[in-house]
């Protein structure tokens, strides 16, 4: 029966793919340079102004977008230099800005290459990688785009604006509002304090039901890129394996011309063509294919091919060519009632939950920090992480593809605690967010499962319809991957779990309840697993567990917040996990990879300290415990699947 379920998944996935991912309208290909495409990053210092007016609407009332912020300084006030990418909260010394809620304004003057402004055969696109939360964009005072939701990119074709006459630069203005409502993702509420004996007139605070700081700003790169006027708009890839033949199914969408020819070439890691095709849809067959394997699961993990697409389109002005190259990993994913399979082999998630969070930069993208984190993941022997609790930067996904780190890709659906946030209005926005997320990340082999939410109030009556609809929609968008959400509800009350493929459960035994009593963990955890599996007969991931720990704080016998308590709690979990992973538990993800910032509260000493690394990426005692465990798990995997075992050499793992 298990083999039948896995086989059905493998067969139905490619068949449903054509009618599934094709539902997505419009592409969101990562801006790559090619023979036909250029890109210009606008990272660096932008002019910045927060609107501290009582109604936060002064910028619109005075139309700050019509001239440069410096020119309207008499109206808008002084501007700050603001680095992009970064969160604006922790960069300056103004306490009002750290906790600011409302509209902020960014501005940058971009110098354009002459050809971009004069060649009408060139299409110029402005792309914003992430603006948290609601963004409005103007170019030279002209409205070009609006976008709701952080963490995902959006674009605007600005060709007509920059090619309308003599022009060597353009002024880009972006207004961003970080206010969260019951209908946003993540949701929040605004609490107005009207008692003037306690609070100033008009006083309000932003309340949330998630445990991380609501950083805001331009968190990822803003850039300009070009394509020809007839161009490759989108590419969708799914893969399968037939014995030793790799199957690459492709679908390509073109804009700007109805008369075109497409050539498709699949190149191996050495640049040799191993398969080729023509047309907008087809299947490439790769004999003796190198499969994309997770880190520590194969002697040569994370093998990537390159799909080179060449477009020749006929236009009124003659032929136009466009070129785009997409990394491709050939692999399969399947789920049985007790196993998670990658390439037909049982895969056990042993890894972490993370946050895009660091000192000063907040959630701003930073290459040195990213590479450091991946070096720590590989040092740990971690093979997976969840993008808790929002989609991470595209460059993160690209490194996961390159290094073989498996990803559970999660939407910003964190803190859905109110019935209002399960309304039809919220659901409609959530469906749109999943479309944007799937559109962006669908081609990453490292992404093996979608998570639509974290710890929602899934026992509330509207939750059944909400999650049934949301999960069905996500499956329709991408039938090739399983779908889940992460629950903290009881197995008896949860109304959303019947619709998931894998049950992801968060529990904090001996931390948020029975705190200080580690002796109860084994019984409570075993009971948790047995109840969930008996009820649903689906594989289970322990998607969060952990304890708050202040680095350098030691107590013997172990007390809460000491390094010894964190280590002891994890050891108790591991005893049960070692029993249940032989049956139906398919993963364990520690909370958290590193300490991170939260809202201020009496329970938080400058952030959440459940990390096994500090916020500065220094290890606590638990990091060494997990490193020993994860490498042992990797060795067990290799014992069953290969004669060669992974090795740790000194302080560094042997990287294949």
């Amino acid at each position: 029966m298990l083999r039948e379920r896995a086989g059905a998944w493998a067969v139905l996935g490619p068949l449903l793919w054509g009618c599934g991912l094709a539902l997505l309208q419009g592409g969101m290909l990562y801006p790559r340079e090619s023979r036909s495409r250029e890109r210009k990053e606008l990272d660096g210092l932008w002019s910045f102004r927060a609107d501290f007016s009582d109604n936060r609407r002064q910028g619109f009332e005075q139309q700050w977008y019509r001239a440069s912020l410096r020119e309207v300084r008499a109206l808008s006030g002084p501007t700050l230099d603001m680095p992009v990418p970064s969160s604006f909260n922790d960069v300056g010394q103004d306490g009002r800005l750290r906790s600011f809620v409302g509209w902020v304004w960014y501005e940058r003057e971009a110098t354009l290459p002459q050809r971009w402004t004069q060649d009408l055969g060139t299409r110029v696109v402005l792309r914003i990688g992430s603006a948290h939360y609601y963004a409005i964009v103007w170019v030279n005072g002209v409205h070009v785009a609006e976008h709701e939701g952080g963490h995902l990119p959006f674009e605007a074709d600005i060709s007509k604006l920059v090619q309308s006459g003599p022009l060597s630069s353009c002024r880009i203005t972006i207004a961003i509002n970080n206010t969260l409502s019951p209908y946003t993702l993540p949701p929040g509420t605004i609490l107005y304090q009207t008692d003037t004996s306690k609070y100033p007139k008009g006083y309000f605070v932003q309340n949330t039901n998630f445990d991380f700081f609501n950083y805001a700003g331009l968190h990822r790169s803003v850039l300009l890129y070009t394509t020809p006027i007839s161009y490759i708009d989108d590419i969708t890839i799914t893969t399968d394996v037939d014995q030793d033949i790799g199957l690459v199914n492709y679908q390509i969408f073109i804009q700007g011309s109805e008369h075109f020819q497409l050539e498709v070439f699949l190149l191996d890691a050495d640049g040799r063509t191993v398969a080729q095709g023509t047309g907008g849809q087809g299947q490439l067959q790769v004999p003796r294919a190198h499969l994309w394997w997770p880190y520590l699961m194969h002697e040569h993990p994370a093998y990537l091919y390159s799909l080179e697409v060449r477009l020749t389109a006929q236009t009124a002005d003659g032929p136009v060519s466009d070129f785009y190259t997409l990394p491709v990993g050939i692999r399969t994913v399947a789920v049985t009632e007790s196993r998670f399979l990658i390439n037909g082999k049982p895969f056990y998630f042993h890894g972490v939950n993370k946050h895009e969070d660091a000192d000063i930069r907040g959630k701003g993208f930073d290459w040195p920090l990213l590479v450091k984190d991946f070096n720590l993941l590989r040092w740990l022997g971690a093979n997976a992480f969840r993008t808790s609790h929002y989609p991470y930067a595209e460059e993160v996904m690209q490194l996961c593809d390159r290094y073989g780190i498996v990803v559970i890709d999660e939407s910003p659906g964190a803190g859905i605690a109110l019935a209002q946030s399960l309304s039809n209005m919220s659901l409609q926005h959530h469906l749109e967010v999943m479309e944007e997320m799937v559109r962006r990340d669908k081609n990453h082999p490292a992404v093996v499962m979608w998570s639509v939410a974290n710890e929602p109030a899934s026992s509330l009556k509207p939750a059944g319809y909400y999650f049934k609809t949301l999960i069905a929609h996500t499956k329709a968008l991408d039938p090739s991957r399983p779908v889940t959400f992460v629950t903290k509800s009881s197995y008896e009350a949860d109304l959303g779990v019947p619709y998931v493929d894998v049950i992801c459960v968060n529990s904090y035994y001996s931390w948020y309840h029975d705190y200080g009593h580690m002796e109860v963990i084994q019984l409570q955890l075993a009971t948790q697993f047995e109840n969930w599996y008996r009820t649903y007969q689906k594989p289970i991931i322990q998607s969060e567990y952990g304890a708050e720990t202040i680095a350098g704080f030691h107590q013997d016998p172990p007390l809460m917040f000491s390094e010894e308590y964190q280590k002891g709690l994890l050891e108790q979990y591991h005893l049960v996990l070692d029993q249940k992973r032989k049956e139906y538990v398919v993963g364990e993800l520690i909370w958290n990879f590193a300490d991170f910032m939260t809202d201020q509260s009496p329970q938080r000493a400058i952030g959440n300290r459940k990390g096994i690394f500090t916020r500065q990426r220094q290890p606590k005692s638990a990091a060494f415990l997990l490193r020993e465990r994860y490498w042992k798990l990797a060795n067990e995997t290799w014992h069953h699947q290969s004669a060669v075992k992974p090795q740790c050499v000194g302080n560094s793992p042997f990287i294949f």
Side-chain angles (χ1 to χ4, degrees):
M1 180 177 175
L2 305 187
R3 194 172 298 169
E4 289 174 0
R5 283 186 59 183
W9 186 289
V11 171
L12 287 175
L15 292 177
L16 294 172
W17 157 75
C19 58
L21 289 164
L23 294 172
L24 296 171
Q25 299 297 315
M28 193 54 65
L29 292 174
Y30 184 75
R32 301 180 185 277
E33 291 187 311
S34 71
R35 285 177 282 174
S36 57
R37 298 177 175 227
E38 299 173 273
R39 59 179 276 167
K40 178 182 177 66
E41 293 187 359
L42 302 180
D43 294 353
L45 294 181
W46 288 52
S47 295
F48 175 88
R49 171 79 164 103
D51 187 343
F52 286 110
S53 62
D54 289 343
N55 67 358
R56 302 295 198 261
R57 300 283 303 175
Q58 185 180 26
F60 295 97
E61 293 165 357
Q62 298 177 351
Q63 299 182 334
W64 292 356
Y65 52 86
R66 289 204 173 273
S68 80
L69 289 177
R70 296 185 187 278
E71 289 179 29
V72 297
R73 158 173 205 153
L75 296 173
S76 71
T79 61
L80 302 175
D81 286 333
M82 184 60 64
V84 173
S86 76
S87 301
F88 63 72
N89 309 82
D90 290 345
V91 173
Q93 296 305 113
D94 188 341
R96 297 180 304 162
L97 195 58
R98 186 181 189 278
S99 56
F100 180 79
V101 177
W103 289 99
V104 298
W105 294 72
Y106 286 80
E107 182 186 272
R108 168 74 184 263
E109 196 82 17
T111 301
L112 303 178
Q114 187 178 52
R115 187 178 64 78
W116 291 19
T117 64
Q118 295 182 356
D119 183 0
L120 300 183
T122 295
R123 176 173 165 267
V124 182
V125 182
L126 172 64
R127 181 187 177 100
I128 291 91
S130 172
H132 188 79
Y133 174 76
Y134 193 97
I136 306 176
V137 184
W138 298 264
V139 173
N140 295 332
V142 178
H143 176 274
V144 297
E146 292 190 30
H147 185 259
E148 181 179 1
H151 316 295
L152 291 165
F154 61 101
E155 299 181 341
D157 185 334
I158 62 170
S159 307
K160 292 181 179 179
L161 285 173
V162 301
Q163 295 168 352
S164 58
L167 183 69
S168 60
S169 66
C170 64
R171 187 181 72 257
I172 299 168
T173 307
I174 306 175
I176 302 174
N177 193 324
N178 64 341
T179 306
L180 302 179
S181 78
Y183 310 107
T184 59
L185 277 184
T189 56
I190 296 293
L191 175 64
Y192 291 93
Q193 300 288 4
T194 57
D195 186 344
T196 55
S197 69
K198 295 181 179 180
Y199 303 98
K201 184 180 179 181
Y203 187 85
F204 68 90
V205 292
Q206 171 83 75
N207 286 337
T208 60
N209 287 298
F210 52 81
D211 189 29
F212 55 92
F213 190 73
N214 186 33
Y215 280 114
L218 291 172
H219 287 154
R220 298 170 193 160
S221 290
V222 178
L223 57 86
L224 296 165
Y225 74 93
T226 67
T227 73
I229 55 172
S230 298
Y231 60 96
I232 301 161
D233 181 55
D234 198 17
I235 304 170
T236 299
I237 297 295
T238 61
T239 64
D240 203 348
V241 180
D242 183 4
Q243 297 181 358
D244 71 338
I245 299 175
L247 306 176
V248 178
N249 305 296
Y250 66 88
Q251 192 168 14
I252 303 167
F253 297 89
I254 304 302
Q255 291 287 350
S257 177
E258 295 181 358
H259 307 286
F260 57 85
Q261 295 81 43
L262 278 169
E263 295 179 285
V264 179
F265 301 86
L266 190 69
L267 282 59
D268 66 15
D270 296 319
R272 295 187 294 259
T273 300
V274 296
Q276 61 188 73
T278 58
Q281 185 170 343
Q283 183 182 84
L284 304 178
Q285 298 190 5
V286 186
R288 299 178 299 281
H290 299 283
L291 302 187
W292 188 94
W293 288 96
Y295 178 52
L296 302 177
M297 198 175 175
H298 191 270
E299 186 177 1
H300 300 290
Y303 191 95
L304 291 175
Y305 292 88
S306 297
L307 186 78
E308 185 177 300
V309 180
R310 304 174 186 176
L311 165 70
T312 303
Q314 303 301 322
T315 71
D317 297 323
V320 171
S321 297
D322 191 22
F323 304 88
Y324 192 88
T325 299
L326 180 74
V328 172
I330 300 174
R331 61 104 181 95
T332 63
V333 173
V335 174
T336 74
E337 65 183 26
S338 62
R339 292 288 181 265
F340 195 101
L341 305 176
I342 295 180
N343 298 331
K345 302 289 187 181
F347 177 76
Y348 187 77
F349 296 78
H350 51 85
V352 302
N353 294 276
K354 289 183 93 278
H355 264 298
E356 290 186 315
D357 173 278
D359 289 330
I360 300 174
R361 57 187 67 74
K363 291 192 180 301
F365 178 81
D366 181 73
W367 271 114
L369 180 70
L370 179 60
V371 173
K372 176 66 174 179
D373 282 0
F374 271 82
N375 284 333
L376 288 174
L377 287 171
R378 297 194 293 174
W379 175 86
L380 274 175
N383 65 7
F385 67 79
R386 174 168 63 116
T387 68
S388 47
H389 299 297
Y390 37 81
Y392 293 175
E394 293 161 281
E395 293 82 0
V396 176
M397 301 302 189
Q398 291 164 11
L399 281 193
C400 289
D401 292 341
R402 288 180 57 183
Y403 293 152
I405 304 297
V406 167
V407 177
I408 300 173
D409 201 354
E410 188 160 274
S411 85
I416 302 175
L418 303 175
Q420 287 173 281
S421 299
L422 293 167
S423 67
N424 286 338
M425 183 186 300
S426 297
L427 177 58
Q428 181 59 43
H429 178 48
H430 207 150
L431 296 173
E432 293 167 356
V433 169
M434 292 312 301
E435 289 176 7
E436 291 186 20
M437 187 169 148
V438 172
R439 181 185 294 116
R440 193 197 74 165
D441 291 344
K442 61 188 174 181
N443 292 323
H444 289 288
V447 175
V448 300
M449 183 158 58
W450 306 110
S451 171
V452 299
N454 176 73
E455 295 188 353
S458 49
S459 59
L460 294 180
K461 187 176 180 180
Y465 173 78
Y466 188 98
F467 285 102
K468 178 181 181 180
T469 305
L470 183 61
I471 291 170
H473 183 67
T474 305
K475 285 177 172 290
L477 294 171
D478 179 14
S480 71
R481 291 178 176 91
V483 180
T484 189
F485 72 87
V486 175
T487 184
K488 66 171 182 178
S489 299
S490 74
Y491 77 99
E492 299 166 299
D494 198 301
L495 301 176
V497 161
Y499 308 107
V500 304
D501 297 301
V502 177
I503 298 172
C504 291
V505 183
N506 294 349
S507 60
Y508 288 92
Y509 300 122
S510 301
W511 187 257
Y512 289 122
H513 49 84
D514 295 310
Y515 35 82
H517 294 283
M518 290 191 285
E519 65 273 13
V520 305
I521 292 175
Q522 290 189 50
L523 175 60
Q524 293 182 2
L525 184 60
T527 301
Q528 167 199 276
F529 287 141
E530 289 159 7
N531 285 338
W532 280 108
Y533 191 72
R534 183 180 63 252
T535 305
Y536 290 106
Q537 300 287 299
K538 296 177 180 179
I540 301 171
I541 295 175
Q542 183 67 46
S543 42
E544 288 183 26
Y545 69 109
E548 205 105 358
T549 305
I550 299 174
F553 182 34
H554 297 282
Q555 290 286 304
D556 185 27
L559 298 180
M560 294 178 71
F561 294 97
S562 70
E563 295 200 38
E564 287 76 16
Y565 192 90
Q566 183 185 43
K567 185 178 177 182
L569 184 147
L570 301 189
E571 288 174 329
Q572 292 299 307
Y573 266 82
H574 295 163
L575 290 171
V576 180
L577 287 165
D578 281 341
Q579 298 170 12
K580 299 303 181 183
R581 65 187 173 88
K582 299 173 184 176
E583 302 174 48
Y584 46 76
V585 171
V586 298
E588 56 190 75
L589 303 175
I590 186 70
W591 188 268
N592 192 286
F593 173 73
D595 295 347
F596 58 92
M597 189 53 63
T598 65
D599 286 337
Q600 298 182 74
S601 78
Q603 290 77 37
R604 292 284 178 257
I606 312 181
N608 188 307
R609 295 176 179 268
K610 291 192 182 72
I612 58 171
F613 297 99
T614 66
R615 203 177 187 210
Q616 295 73 37
R617 275 47 180 185
Q618 296 304 311
K620 303 176 188 177
S621 298
F624 296 96
L625 171 72
L626 278 179
R627 182 174 190 251
E628 181 179 354
R629 174 172 178 78
Y630 287 173
W631 281 95
K632 179 181 177 182
L633 290 171
N635 277 319
E636 289 181 10
T637 299
W638 277 65
H639 176 74
H640 293 296
Q641 298 184 14
S642 174
V644 183
K645 291 184 179 181
Q647 304 174 36
C648 284
V649 180
N651 288 325
S652 299
F654 177 73
I655 306 300
F656 297 109

